[in-house]
């Protein structure tokens, strides 16, 4: 793969089930050697895209290349250049960690001695050497996911697909996976990461694409996406719930965008351009009105706010009909897609 060739290129990808679209003209370019986050509500098309790019699912229209190979024309070459770690660990709990990795090596047609050597290398790389001979059933959740990640690297792939890799992990397990992904990126592996955890994408991704209704609706670095909401925001937590309407009206006169109100937490927030001037005016206004605040803070927008802004807070529900009704795989659509993958 040439240096200027994207590790992943998708152009106009479409996948249709009857009158419903899982993907509807999706475009994606991922530079080599980067971590690219793929975000979207449930059913937006993220898993469909990963299944297509990893040759598990055929697409109806468009073009896709991974590691310089055409996905439709040379799926065999694509498979030998990629690794895939799905949402649930695919390791055998009865076998030891070392036996699992050696088995994956043999499934990739590596000679026995090569598979054993590769298993030892990966156990050491992911901090599992001391537990390599223990049954996987005795591993913690984080250890299992690291072993699953190691299994996806048996062939030292150019591109690694991580589909919800930290689902179900506790904070310690998530941190272990984050460290492993950073190490991979540092060694030059291209990583496409789909996740429901926006802080995860913020921590790991060089760039992020937001998927909604089968299309990319935004793309950029985490900071670029956050800047779409207008720079800094003022957050206020009030002492008395009864003061919320008056404080929201005051903030609305100072802010440079709509005021968000959360009655449960007695919190209001809004974007501001002149952070210092707006903060001073707000404090004076609250004092004049004898409104007590428990906390006032200036902060950048979060990816959660960007996500809700870009997707309109949708849940990705399947919609029927033509170009006007793309949808990701939810409900019956997901079942239909799973049956196609199984075939």
């Amino acid at each position: 793969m040439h240096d200027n060739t994207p590790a992943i290129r998708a152009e106009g990808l479409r996948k249709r089930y009857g009158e419903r679209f899982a993907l509807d003209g999706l475009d994606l370019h991922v530079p080599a050697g980067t971590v690219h986050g793929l975000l979207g509500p449930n059913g937006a098309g993220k898993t469909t895209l990963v299944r297509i790019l990893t040759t598990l699912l055929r697409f109806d229209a468009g073009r896709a290349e991974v590691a310089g190979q055409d996905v439709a024309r040379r799926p065999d070459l694509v498979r030998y250049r990629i690794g895939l770690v799905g949402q649930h660990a695919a390791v055998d709990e009865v076998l030891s960690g070392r036996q699992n990795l050696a088995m994956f090596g043999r499934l990739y047609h590596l000679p026995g001695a090569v598979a054993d050597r590769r298993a030892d290398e990966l156990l050491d790389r992911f901090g599992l050497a001391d537990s390599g001979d223990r049954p996987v059933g005795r591993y913690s959740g984080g250890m299992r996911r690291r072993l699953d990640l190691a299994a996806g690297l048996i062939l030292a792939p150019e591109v690694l697909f991580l589909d919800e890799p930290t689902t179900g992990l506790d904070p310690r397990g998530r941190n272990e996976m984050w460290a492993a992904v950073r190490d991979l990126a540092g060694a030059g592996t291209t990583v496409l990461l789909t996740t429901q955890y926006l802080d995860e994408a913020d921590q790991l991704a060089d760039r992020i694409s937001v998927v909604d209704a089968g299309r990319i609706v935004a793309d950029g670095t985490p900071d670029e996406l956050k800047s779409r909401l207008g720079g800094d925001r003022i957050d206020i937590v009030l002492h008395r719930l009864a003061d919320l309407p008056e404080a929201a009206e005051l903030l609305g006169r100072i802010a440079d965008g709509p005021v968000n109100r959360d009655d449960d937490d007695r919190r209001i927030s809004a974007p501001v351009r002149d952070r210092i001037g707006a903060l001073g005016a707000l404090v004076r206004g609250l004092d004049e009105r004898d409104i007590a605040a428990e906390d006032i803070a200036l902060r950048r927008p979060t990816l959660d706010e960007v996500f809700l802004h870009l997707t309109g807070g949708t849940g990705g529900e399947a919609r029927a009909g033509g170009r006007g009704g793309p949808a990701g795989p939810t409900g019956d659509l997901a079942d239909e897609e799973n049956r196609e993958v199984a075939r």
Side-chain angles (χ1 to χ4, degrees), residues 254-277:
I254 298 168
D256 296 293
V259 176
N260 293 334
R261 174 172 161 172
D262 185 341
D263 287 20
D264 291 337
D265 292 333
R266 306 187 310 282
R267 182 189 302 272
I268 54 176
S269 66
V272 293
R273 293 193 183 94
D274 179 7
R275 61 199 312 265
I276 302 302

Side-chain angles (χ1 to χ4, degrees), residues 2-343:
H2 301 296
D3 291 341
N4 60 350
T5 301
I8 301 172
R9 187 206 315 265
E11 297 175 347
L13 279 187
R14 289 195 173 88
K15 180 63 180 177
R16 181 171 179 162
Y17 295 95
E19 294 301 314
R20 294 175 293 179
F21 285 93
L23 298 180
D24 188 30
L26 184 142
D27 298 319
L28 177 69
H29 286 211
V30 178
T34 64
V35 179
H36 197 97
L38 203 63
L39 303 180
N42 288 332
K46 304 186 303 296
T47 296
T48 300
L49 177 61
V50 169
R51 286 173 168 177
I52 285 173
L53 295 175
T54 55
T55 77
L56 296 175
L57 192 65
R58 294 185 180 92
F59 53 96
D60 299 321
R63 181 185 178 197
E65 292 182 357
V66 175
Q69 302 297 324
D70 189 285
V71 172
R73 296 178 181 176
R74 296 309 306 267
D76 53 334
L77 294 182
V78 171
R79 292 182 195 121
Y80 274 91
R81 287 166 169 78
I82 66 172
L84 171 62
V85 177
Q87 296 180 21
H88 307 288
V91 291
D92 189 305
E93 295 192 355
V94 175
L95 300 178
S96 69
R98 180 171 283 103
Q99 288 171 329
N100 266 282
L101 294 180
M103 176 185 69
F104 277 103
R106 296 308 300 271
L107 290 174
Y108 278 111
H109 307 294
L110 296 179
V114 175
D116 291 341
R117 184 168 64 249
R118 185 63 176 153
D120 289 337
E121 292 172 355
L122 290 168
L123 287 171
D124 185 64
R125 180 175 181 179
F126 289 98
L128 296 169
D130 291 341
S131 54
D133 293 320
R134 283 166 44 193
V136 172
R138 293 166 54 192
Y139 283 19
S140 68
M143 292 170 67
R144 293 185 196 192
R145 292 304 277 161
R146 277 186 284 147
L147 182 66
D148 206 33
L149 184 56
L153 296 173
I154 286 291
L155 293 183
E158 298 176 35
V159 181
L160 179 65
F161 294 86
L162 300 180
D163 191 13
E164 310 281 358
T166 60
T167 296
L169 293 185
D170 60 22
R172 181 190 296 271
R174 290 182 69 197
N175 286 334
E176 290 174 352
M177 281 295 291
W178 288 5
V181 172
R182 290 191 185 101
D183 289 344
L184 289 172
T189 301
T190 303
V191 178
L192 183 68
L193 167 73
T194 74
T195 179
Q196 295 283 356
Y197 302 115
L198 290 104
D199 60 330
E200 185 164 84
D202 205 357
Q203 288 278 338
L204 297 176
D206 300 300
R207 294 186 69 84
I208 294 171
S209 294
V210 181
V211 185
D212 193 27
R215 304 183 185 96
I216 301 293
V217 297
D219 181 271
T221 67
D223 282 343
E224 287 171 348
L225 293 178
K226 292 173 187 177
S227 70
R228 295 190 176 201
L229 287 187
D232 294 303
R233 297 183 70 84
I234 288 182
D235 263 354
I236 315 164
V237 178
L238 299 177
H239 184 68
R240 297 183 298 268
L241 178 61
D243 289 331
L244 209 61
E246 188 175 2
E249 187 270 335
L250 171 63
L251 180 58
R253 295 206 304 267
I254 298 168
D256 296 293
V259 176
N260 293 334
R261 174 172 161 172
D262 185 341
D263 287 20
D264 291 337
D265 292 333
R266 306 187 310 282
R267 182 189 302 272
I268 54 176
S269 66
V272 293
R273 293 193 183 94
D274 179 7
R275 61 199 312 265
I276 302 302
L279 182 60
L282 177 64
V283 171
R284 289 192 299 272
L286 293 175
D287 185 59
E288 290 169 359
R289 292 163 175 77
D290 194 28
I291 297 176
E294 292 184 359
D295 187 38
I296 302 178
L298 279 167
R299 62 173 178 81
R300 297 293 310 279
T302 66
L303 273 182
D304 298 69
E305 291 165 331
V306 174
F307 178 83
L308 292 172
H309 173 73
L310 291 171
T311 63
T314 63
E317 294 299 322
R319 296 180 292 275
R323 290 290 307 279
T330 60
D332 293 340
L333 187 58
D335 293 339
E336 189 171 350
E337 181 169 300
N338 289 332
R339 286 193 293 270
E340 182 171 337
V341 170
R343 290 197 295 268

